[in-house]
Amino acid sequence: MTLLRIALAQTRQTADREDNRLAILEAIDLAASRNVQILCFPETQTVGYRVDIASADAPVHVGWLDRVHGEVAARCAKHGIACILGTETPSERGKPYNTALVIDKHGNVQGMHHKTMLTPLDVMAYERGDVQHTFELSGVRIGVVICFEALRFAETTAECVRRGAQVVFHQQNNTTRPNDWKIPIHHAMIVTRAAENTVWFASCNACLPHQNSRSLVVAPDGRILGQTELRQEELLVRDIDVREATRAMFRLGEDGSAVGALEHSASPLFADTVNTEEYAAALEAGKSPTRATQ
């Protein structure tokens, strides 16, 4: 697999669980009509984010969630599309996990990722997960991170990349509170996660009255391949070349002498400003071009 068609569903999200459910099914059908292979939804799309949208102490509707998860899986199997669904799942402690449910194109649940870093308001509503997860979807190793844990903690994305992820999907619910000054900051953080790891980073926000981030698809060199409009329901579809996700910057950070990482770092660092002979000479001398020219 080299070319992969992904989509981010910037769907409406409210406290009306049934309307959220309909928005999910509509997005899956639309993505299938556009031949999408992997579709990502916002954080907590099934029931609404318990901070700002749903009530923090609302009961966990386990039966309803099981039925909807099964319905989404069946719709994925019908269309042959993989899905990363923002939802919640019960925990033994009472409060639910803020969860990403990962479903393959055959409708099989590959696993779940629970949000590992919680905001002070999240703590009132959710239990904390403790593992960064990667999954195999459509022949590609992908990572999943949720909102705050990736925006403010670079190590969560890095752990996914350490586990082999070439595409990292980032679910957000960001947010019904009007903090427009945060928009460029969040966009910068999203771009940084892609560039510092040299992987594809696809961040999916909900369609909200006040969005503090667009949904973005960012290339491994940090350039934005696509973005949504704010406060507008939209399916952002992009074809990405997985070969570009060399993980070079991440590997350099782990081991600055890694030859494979050095060989793949020239393009994202210098583009066409360093010729082949110059870079080959630097490799031969055992130097990083970063040290030589910056």
Side-chain angles (χ1 to χ4, degrees), residues 195-207:
E196 70 190 355
N197 293 292
T198 327
V199 297
W200 288 97
F201 197 88
S203 181
C204 183
N205 199 7
C207 176

Side-chain angles (χ1 to χ4, degrees), residues 7-231:
L8 306 178
Q10 186 170 285
T11 49
R12 63 189 183 275
Q13 185 181 131
T14 71
D16 185 337
R17 292 179 286 123
E18 280 301 320
D19 189 54
N20 293 340
R21 167 184 163 273
L22 290 176
I24 293 166
L25 299 178
E26 290 167 6
I28 294 173
D29 290 346
L30 179 57
S33 73
R34 298 183 63 179
N35 299 314
V36 168
Q37 294 166 276
I38 302 178
L39 172 64
C40 183
F41 284 97
E43 177 182 17
T44 64
Q45 177 58 35
T46 54
V47 295
Y49 186 37
R50 285 175 176 260
V51 179
D52 297 333
I53 295 179
S55 174
D57 58 358
V60 181
H61 300 278
V62 177
W64 185 89
L65 284 166
D66 286 345
R67 288 193 298 274
V68 171
H69 293 166
E71 186 176 18
V72 171
R75 190 68 61 99
C76 287
K78 174 184 175 181
H79 292 306
I81 184 172
C83 168
I84 303 162
L85 179 65
T87 188
E88 66 180 31
T89 52
S91 76
E92 295 178 353
R93 299 188 187 97
K95 291 184 290 186
Y97 291 115
N98 183 329
T99 299
L101 187 71
V102 179
I103 302 168
D104 69 19
K105 66 180 181 179
H106 303 294
N108 300 315
V109 175
Q110 293 295 304
M112 293 180 288
H113 170 68
H114 306 311
K115 189 174 184 178
T116 61
M117 303 299 293
L118 304 179
T119 72
L121 295 179
D122 281 341
V123 171
M124 303 296 292
Y126 298 105
E127 294 295 341
R128 175 178 169 174
D130 57 7
V131 178
Q132 299 305 139
H133 292 92
T134 61
F135 306 89
E136 193 83 15
L137 288 181
S138 300
V140 176
R141 176 62 55 177
I142 65 108
V144 180
V145 286
I146 301 176
C147 203
F148 180 69
E149 70 175 341
L151 291 173
R152 298 290 179 170
F153 301 92
E155 63 269 22
T156 60
T157 300
E159 178 60 19
C160 292
V161 178
R162 187 189 71 78
R163 292 170 178 245
Q166 292 178 283
V167 185
V168 177
F169 288 94
H170 176 227
Q171 299 181 319
Q172 298 190 60
N173 188 293
N174 200 351
T175 175
T176 61
R177 303 187 187 199
N179 291 306
D180 289 353
W181 61 272
K182 285 187 173 183
I183 294 172
I185 296 170
H186 289 151
H187 289 180
M189 290 173 173
I190 290 165
V191 166
T192 299
R193 295 297 164 264
E196 70 190 355
N197 293 292
T198 327
V199 297
W200 288 97
F201 197 88
S203 181
C204 183
N205 199 7
C207 176
L208 301 166
H210 297 283
Q211 280 182 238
N212 294 335
S213 178
R214 290 175 169 84
S215 299
L216 301 168
V217 176
V218 185
D221 61 7
R223 284 182 278 194
I224 297 173
L225 184 64
Q227 63 182 17
T228 58
E229 295 296 328
L230 295 170
R231 299 178 297 278

